[in-house]
Amino acid sequence: MSRPLKHIQRAGHVTSGPYAPPSPTRELAATSADGSRLHIAVHGPEDAPAVVLAHGWTCSIAFWAPVVRALAGDHRVIAYDQRGHGRSPAAPPGGYSTEALADDLEAVLGAVLAPGERAVLAGHSMGGMTLMAASGRTAVRERTAAVLLCSTGSSRLLEDARVVPLRGERARTRAHRLILGSSAPLGPVTPLAKRILKYGTMGPGSAPDMVEACARIVHACPRSVRAAWAHVLDGIDLDVAVRQLAAPTAVVVGTADRLTPPVHARRLAAALPDCRGVTELPGLGHMAPVEAPDAVAGEIRGLVRDHLAVPGGVPGPLARPEDEPRTAPEHRRRTSPGSRPVEAAAEATATAEATAKAEATAKEETS
């Protein structure tokens, strides 16, 4: 078993409250195909059904804290830091790609799962793209019981984003490329920084403690890593890989997600070979595992119940046979108890101010 990466500084995160990372039962490291080391944290009983969590761009293991708390009582929850994030070291030059994402997932599964053991895999944003990128790999398929794709997409990320609300697609894409691909330092977590992050990544009713937790995580990501992965996401095209993701798959998206709007979830549902449903969370943004952890954990629980063998029990249903007719995936809308209502006027003001800030940043990048 690999030793944990104790020499790597911990990622920034809140240290108290429901969004603070719980202490893991054990930590270890996996080594990817190119030698990159990946920090892994394991929570919950060792003999419980396994769940593997892959976080998104600029985040870390800490992002999953409320979902881990909801599941770890009766699941073995395995979370890992994507390369360059959290306690996983930055990759060497040329070490950022969709192939690297797939390599890293394969290495993590090999390090934490026993021979023949399967897990439910859940990916948020770039973590969902990780699961898509690895969909054609036999070593990953054999270890996958089911999949949750949360707040993610397979292509056209900048074209379909709604962070900068410009009408023309070309202008909007260019603005997103300038802002999201910038390597400028984010600076300290100030009230203005939190307001901008909330506008771009979270629902308008997100509570202050949710915003604080996300801001600390995002601001802790090294700017060189942030820019390197942004370059990968800019041109990402996993449309073919989605059609190879044969495991039963559920999709979750917030209706107010500006980074990966619901159009992405609907495209995924249409392309997936075995989509078990799309859940749209009203009023939530891109950070659904923080904004509505119970809803996300509930989706994972359902996949474990339906598709993963319990220890000593009988396996749940596997992927739908190829000759069985495919039915349209179920679309559901859930109430989002994690969000709090806000006055329309206040929301409009915040949106206008954040938009003005984003456009000003875009102009500075071009000047």
Side-chain angles (χ1 to χ4, degrees):
M1 180 183 298
S2 300
R3 295 179 180 178
L5 299 172
K6 294 182 179 179
H7 62 288
I8 302 298
Q9 186 177 3
R10 284 188 178 275
H13 54 72
V14 296
T15 57
S16 62
Y19 306 106
S23 298
T25 53
R26 65 186 177 99
E27 297 175 280
L28 65 153
T31 302
S32 194
D34 66 351
S36 294
R37 300 272 283 170
L38 305 162
H39 171 243
I40 305 170
V42 182
H43 303 259
E46 287 291 335
D47 60 348
V51 172
V52 177
L53 306 177
H55 69 75
W57 178 54
T58 74
C59 291
S60 68
I61 286 173
F63 180 79
W64 289 107
V67 174
V68 170
R69 292 181 185 278
L71 293 174
D74 52 359
H75 296 75
R76 177 158 54 98
V77 185
I78 300 146
Y80 71 99
D81 284 322
Q82 300 268 23
R83 57 175 61 197
H85 296 78
R87 291 172 60 185
S88 294
Y96 299 96
S97 65
T98 55
E99 280 297 304
L101 290 175
D103 286 342
D104 294 351
L105 175 63
E106 186 172 343
V108 168
L109 297 180
V112 298
L113 299 181
E117 184 180 12
R118 298 185 304 147
V120 168
L121 312 185
H124 170 260
S125 193
M126 191 175 79
M129 298 168 208
T130 301
L131 308 188
M132 299 179 219
S135 63
R137 299 196 175 197
T138 301
V140 174
R141 284 189 174 199
E142 291 177 344
R143 296 179 180 275
T144 304
V147 168
L148 176 68
L149 297 177
C150 181
S151 309
T152 190
S154 58
S155 63
R156 291 183 52 85
L157 300 183
L158 298 187
E159 293 87 342
D160 291 331
R162 293 295 182 268
V163 177
V164 181
L166 299 176
R167 291 185 179 180
E169 180 178 303
R170 181 177 296 180
R172 187 172 64 245
T173 300
R174 185 167 179 267
H176 289 145
R177 180 169 291 118
L178 289 170
I179 296 170
L180 301 181
S182 172
S183 59
L186 297 181
V189 179
T190 63
L192 177 60
K194 287 187 284 187
R195 196 167 189 174
I196 293 172
L197 181 132
K198 178 181 177 180
Y199 164 77
T201 69
M202 306 182 78
S206 298
D209 53 350
M210 296 178 185
V211 180
E212 177 77 22
C214 289
R216 287 186 178 274
I217 292 169
V218 170
H219 279 241
C221 180
R223 60 177 178 167
S224 60
V225 172
R226 188 180 80 235
W229 278 121
H231 179 73
V232 175
L233 298 177
D234 184 343
I236 203 166
D237 186 348
L238 296 170
D239 290 346
V240 173
V242 173
R243 294 193 287 272
Q244 297 175 336
L245 211 173
T249 303
V251 182
V252 172
V253 66
T255 61
D257 188 339
R258 298 180 190 274
L259 287 176
T260 51
V263 63
H264 287 286
R266 295 164 194 156
R267 285 192 200 124
L268 291 174
L272 286 162
D274 192 3
C275 183
R276 297 303 173 103
V278 178
T279 299
E280 295 190 9
L281 300 171
L284 278 116
H286 189 65
M287 305 302 213
V290 172
E291 297 176 77
D294 289 342
V296 173
E299 292 290 333
I300 295 172
R301 281 185 178 278
L303 292 171
V304 171
R305 180 190 63 240
D306 295 341
H307 305 291
L308 186 61
V310 296
V314 178
L318 300 178
R320 181 184 291 115
E322 292 184 2
D323 58 351
E324 182 179 327
R326 182 172 183 259
T327 58
E330 178 186 2
H331 276 69
R332 302 179 293 270
R333 290 176 75 91
R334 288 187 176 182
T335 302
S336 304
S339 295
R340 302 173 186 174
V342 294
E343 294 295 330
E347 179 184 348
T349 299
T351 298
E353 291 178 353
T355 301
K357 177 69 175 180
E359 291 176 342
T361 302
K363 290 179 181 179
E364 290 177 2
E365 291 281 346
T366 56
S367 62

